[in-house]
């Protein structure tokens, strides 16, 4: 159930505290505690910001900036009246990045340094690359070597870890990365005491990786919504999530909390790590100072010292629905004055509707709650122009049920497909579908998305909360596909689904077919050239190569049917098995691969074979 709680309430991810944050009771001034945290962790914070903004930067370059920012901190702690100490921390950071000799030219961000203030920050944000295929593989150390490195130099070990993770996760919020670093250190300490170190790291790392991946997906999804659709959609997401989590919260109190919550995403989504950390602390203080009116489930959490309370709130159960809460709120469907109330303050009226509907329906996903709100808004737009509006909107519940029924059928169909097909066939299904829909994406992105779709179904399809779980997780996958930047473009059909309506993008993608505008590459680009390293790949690595092969095959021959593609994948698997048992695997691959893959496409096969023979 932890997976469900994480995905259902990931909104609170940035409330977790970490590393050296002072462990003082809750009644101490949170502003001073947060400031102390920033001062103590200036090195970690600098690494995160620099590695996320300039992912190509070396660890040595990052260390140079850490030194500069530490000197800046010490100077300002000694004399806060200095002119440079009145600047915003993120502005100081970007200034230092821009003044590092030769760095802007080396890593191609000089154009950002020529801008100022908001334009500069926005430029650096757009410099971030979600697809990190250009980076070398994440360095791996032997468990014994890892433990010895940690023992010899803890600070350098953790700095390097934060650097490597941050540059590969450029949109993950700083507090999440700091919490991940604390968990990583805890895991390292524990496993280095074990006899079976490798097994310990392997077991604990899986949970740790899932934690970071889930939070990363949610953060990118919400920031993508903010950047593509503006602050109103962010407010709606937060209303739905908070109202489900805290159903006894009063609407007025919810709006007050939202002012703190929504404004914090600006800093977090823009990569302003200091503003993000300050915002996190302010939200925590708000929740715990009003816990009696917000939730009965967080009292013990708020009594904990600061490092533990965020995690406690994340994993706390949804509060019980108030006993006096009727199944329906008559104000929105049975009142004679619905149109007048809407017209008086449409934004507040729709916010209250979403709040009331969400707190009554903990079984629905966040996207579904937003769909219901959208259906209600469209219905009122129609009804309030009629002679007798009440006769029209009294049937709103029927519209809501129809909307949920459509979404439920999509989820049921997917889960039935999973139960019939099994994990591997399901993955191939999504790899083929996604590649046909968006062949412009990189092979790495497509294999990742296919795997995430399968994870969503294998995680959720056997749970009682199947609908909300699947719908929430699949929405995160679509968020990954659509990306975070508002100017990301894939192809006209996909762009339309990503940018037209956040709540209904799932149903939009359901109706898409293969991209008609895609022009496949004119050559196989070495796709059918294999070497002996294929025979040395372990099961997991071999599976990754097969997945990549399938995606590249679809990119090259998008007109092939699913049956043809899966048949060719079976042929490829058989060839690998045969050639890896042969005396000369590489010669075998050259002789066997093309005939096995294209037995019925003799013309195309002859062209490819001739090209391969002529290649150096």
């Amino acid at each position: 159930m932890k997976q469900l709680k994480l995905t259902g309430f990931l909104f609170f991810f940035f409330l977790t505290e970490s590393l050296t944050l002072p462990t003082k009771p809750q009644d101490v001034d949170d502003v001073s505690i947060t400031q102390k945290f920033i001062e103590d962790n200036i090195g970690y914070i600098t690494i995160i910001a620099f590695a996320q903004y300039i992912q190509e930067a070396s660890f040595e370059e990052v260390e140079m900036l850490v030194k500069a920012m530490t000197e800046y901190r010490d100077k300002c702690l000694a004399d806060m009246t200095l002119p440079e100490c009145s600047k915003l921390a993120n502005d100081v950071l970007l200034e230092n990045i821009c003044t590092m000799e030769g760095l802007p030219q080396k890593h191609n961000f000089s154009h950002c340094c020529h801008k100022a203030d908001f334009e500069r920050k926005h430029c650096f944000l757009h410099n971030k690359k979600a697809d990190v295929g250009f980076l070398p593989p994440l360095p791996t150390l032997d468990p014994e070597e890892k433990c010895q490195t940690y023992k010899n130099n803890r600070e350098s070990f953790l700095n390097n870890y934060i650097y490597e993770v941050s540059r590969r996760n450029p949109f993950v919020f700083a507090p999440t990365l700091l919490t991940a670093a604390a968990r990583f250190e805890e895991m390292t300490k524990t496993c280095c005491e074990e006899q079976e170190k490798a097994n310990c790291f392997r077991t604990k790392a899986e949970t740790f990786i899932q934690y970071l991946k889930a939070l990363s997906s949610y953060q990118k999804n919400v920031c993508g919504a903010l950047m593509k659709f503006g602050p109103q959609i962010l407010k709606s997401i937060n209303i739905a999530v908070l109202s489900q989590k805290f159903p006894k919260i009063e609407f007025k109190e919810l709006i007050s909390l939202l002012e703190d919550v929504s404004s914090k995403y600006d800093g977090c989504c823009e990569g302003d790590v200091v503003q993000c950390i300050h915002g996190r602390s302010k939200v925590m203080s708000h929740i715990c100072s009003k816990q009696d009116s917000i939730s009965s489930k967080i009292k013990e959490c708020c009594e904990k010292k600061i490092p533990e309370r965020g995690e406690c709130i994340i994993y706390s159960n949804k509060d019980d629905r108030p006993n006096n809460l009727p199944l329906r709120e008559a104000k929105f469907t049975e009142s004679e004055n619905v149109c007048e109330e809407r017209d008086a303050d449409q934004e507040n009226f729709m916010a209250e509707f979403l709040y009331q509907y969400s707190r009554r329906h903990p079984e629905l996903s966040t996207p579904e709650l937003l769909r219901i709100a959208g259906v209600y808004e469209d219905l009122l737009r129609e009804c309030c122009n009629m002679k007798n509006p009440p006769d029209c909107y009294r049937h709103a519940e029927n519209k809501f049920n129809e909307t949920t029924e459509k979404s439920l059928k999509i989820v049921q169909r997917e889960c039935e497909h999973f139960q019939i097909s099994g994990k591997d066939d399901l993955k191939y299904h999504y790899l083929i579908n996604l590649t046909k829909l968006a062949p412009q994406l990189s092979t790495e992105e497509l294999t990742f998305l296919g795997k995430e779709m399968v994870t969503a179904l294998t995680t959720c399809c056997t749970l009682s909360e199947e609908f909300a779980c699947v719908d929430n997780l699949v929405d995160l996958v679509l968020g990954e596909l659509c990306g975070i930047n508002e100017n990301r473009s894939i192809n006209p059909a996909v762009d339309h689904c990503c940018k037209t309506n956040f709540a209904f993008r799932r149903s939009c993608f359901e109706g898409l077919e293969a991209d008609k505008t895609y022009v496949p590459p004119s050559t196989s680009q070495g796709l059918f050239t294999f070497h002996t390293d294929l025979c040395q790949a372990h099961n997991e690595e071999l599976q990754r190569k097969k997945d990549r092969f399938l995606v590249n095959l679809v990119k090259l021959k998008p007109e092939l049917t699913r049956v043809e593609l899966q048949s060719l994948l079976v042929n490829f698997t058989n060839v690998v098995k045969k050639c890896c048992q042969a005396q000369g695997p590489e010669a075998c691959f050259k002789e066997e691969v093309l005939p096995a893959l294209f037995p019925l496409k003799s013309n195309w096969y002859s062209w490819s074979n001739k090209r391969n023979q002529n290649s150096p």
Side-chain angles (χ1 to χ4, degrees), residues 69-86:
M69 288 301 291
T70 304
E71 288 172 357
Y72 167 79
R73 175 201 64 183
D74 294 341
K75 185 196 300 182
C76 290
L77 286 176
D79 184 1
M80 287 297 293
T81 63
L82 293 171
E84 60 264 42
C85 298
S86 63

Side-chain angles (χ1 to χ4, degrees), residues 19 143 146-147 150-151 154 157-158 181-195 197 200-201 204:
L19 295 175
K146 186 183 293 183
C147 292
Y150 173 69
K151 183 179 177 182
R154 170 189 173 271
F157 178 80
L158 287 177
R183 289 188 172 196
F184 177 72
E185 181 175 22
E186 185 181 321
M187 176 180 72
T188 302
K189 282 180 181 175
T190 301
C191 292
C192 288
E193 296 295 322
E194 297 286 331
Q195 284 290 109
K197 292 181 177 59
C200 177
F201 276 115
K204 290 185 179 294

Side-chain angles (χ1 to χ4, degrees), residues 351-598:
E352 187 177 357
F353 168 78
L354 182 55
Y355 153 75
Q356 294 288 5
Y357 201 86
S358 301
R359 66 201 290 245
R360 286 167 167 79
H361 292 279
E363 78 284 358
L364 295 182
S365 65
T366 301
E368 185 60 21
L369 292 168
L370 299 187
R371 290 175 204 131
I372 297 294
V375 166
Y376 182 61
E377 189 171 15
D378 289 344
L379 180 67
L380 289 188
R381 195 177 291 117
E382 179 184 333
C383 293
C384 292
N385 285 319
M386 294 183 170
K387 285 186 178 179
N388 192 347
D391 280 353
C392 175
Y393 58 67
R394 278 197 185 101
H395 304 290
E397 285 290 341
N398 293 336
K399 292 278 189 183
F400 303 158
N401 293 336
E402 286 172 15
T403 304
T404 300
E405 195 61 35
K406 286 180 185 175
S407 302
L408 185 60
K409 282 181 179 176
I410 293 174
V411 169
Q412 287 173 335
R413 187 167 66 245
E414 286 170 332
C415 284
E416 283 170 9
H417 189 187
F418 160 65
Q419 286 155 1
I420 293 169
S421 304
K423 196 171 178 178
D424 285 343
D425 283 349
L426 188 71
K427 181 176 64 175
Y428 299 141
H429 165 80
Y430 283 115
L431 288 176
I432 292 168
N433 267 16
L434 288 165
T435 307
K436 283 177 177 281
L437 290 181
Q440 296 83 359
L441 294 180
S442 71
T443 301
E444 287 74 18
E445 285 179 286
L446 289 163
T447 52
F448 170 78
L449 292 170
K451 188 177 178 183
E452 289 304 289
M453 283 295 294
V454 174
T455 299
L457 299 185
T458 54
T459 300
C460 303
C461 284
T462 56
L463 298 174
S464 57
E465 302 91 340
E466 176 182 282
F467 170 66
C469 182
V470 171
D471 206 36
N472 278 327
L473 289 185
V474 170
D475 188 63
L476 296 186
V477 178
L478 295 181
E480 292 274 5
L481 192 161
C482 291
I484 193 168
N485 289 329
E486 67 270 24
N487 58 357
R488 174 173 164 99
S489 181
I490 299 170
N491 61 55
V494 170
D495 291 348
H496 171 77
C497 290
C498 287
K499 297 176 183 178
T500 304
N501 190 310
F502 180 82
F504 284 93
R505 65 183 177 185
R506 178 113 193 261
S507 54
C508 182
F509 275 104
E510 280 288 309
L512 286 192
E513 296 179 350
D515 179 28
K516 299 290 195 299
T517 67
Y518 175 67
V519 179
S522 58
T523 68
S524 62
Q525 299 172 329
L527 176 63
F528 305 122
T529 302
F530 301 102
H531 304 285
T532 53
D533 64 332
L534 189 60
C535 302
Q536 294 156 2
H538 297 294
N539 288 342
E540 194 174 332
E541 180 60 27
L542 183 60
Q543 190 58 58
R544 276 197 293 270
K545 288 178 182 289
K546 285 171 65 176
D547 294 346
R548 287 175 55 81
F549 170 81
L550 180 58
V551 168
N552 286 329
L553 190 59
V554 179
K555 285 187 171 199
L556 190 66
K557 304 294 289 180
E559 74 279 4
L560 294 180
T561 66
R562 182 176 289 105
V563 173
E564 287 176 310
L565 288 162
Q566 289 190 296
S567 174
L568 293 176
L569 186 62
V570 170
N571 290 353
F572 171 68
T573 303
N574 291 337
V575 166
V576 171
K577 186 176 180 181
K578 176 182 177 181
C579 289
C580 287
Q581 292 173 347
Q583 284 190 343
E586 201 147 330
C588 177
F589 283 136
K590 285 181 181 176
E591 186 177 337
E592 299 284 343
V593 167
L594 289 173
L597 292 182
F598 296 97

Side-chain angles (χ1 to χ4, degrees), residues 264-363:
K264 305 318 159 210
Y265 277 92
D266 290 337
C268 293
C269 291
E270 289 173 3
D272 188 332
V273 295
V274 173
Q275 187 184 337
C276 188
I277 291 166
H278 273 300
R280 176 269 323 267
S281 180
K282 189 175 180 183
V283 172
M284 280 297 297
S285 296
H286 189 139
I287 290 172
C288 287
S289 68
K290 302 285 184 69
Q291 55 185 291
D292 290 339
S293 61
I294 291 179
S295 173
S296 61
K297 303 284 187 181
I298 60 172
K299 188 174 187 300
E300 289 185 6
C301 295
C302 291
E303 288 173 352
K304 292 179 181 291
K305 294 179 180 180
I306 285 186
E308 292 88 26
R309 64 176 180 170
E311 285 287 305
C312 184
I313 289 176
I314 288 174
Y315 291 111
S316 66
N317 293 322
K318 286 180 181 176
D319 210 348
D320 303 321
R321 198 167 73 174
N323 293 328
N324 61 349
L325 189 68
L327 291 177
R328 293 183 186 180
E329 176 51 72
K331 170 181 177 178
F332 296 100
T333 55
E334 296 171 26
S335 167
E336 297 290 320
N337 305 315
V338 168
C339 295
E340 289 79 3
E341 290 191 46
R342 182 203 68 159
D343 293 343
D345 187 346
Q346 185 165 343
E347 183 179 332
N348 199 60
F349 180 84
M350 288 307 304
E352 187 177 357
F353 168 78
L354 182 55
Y355 153 75
Q356 294 288 5
Y357 201 86
S358 301
R359 66 201 290 245
R360 286 167 167 79
H361 292 279
E363 78 284 358

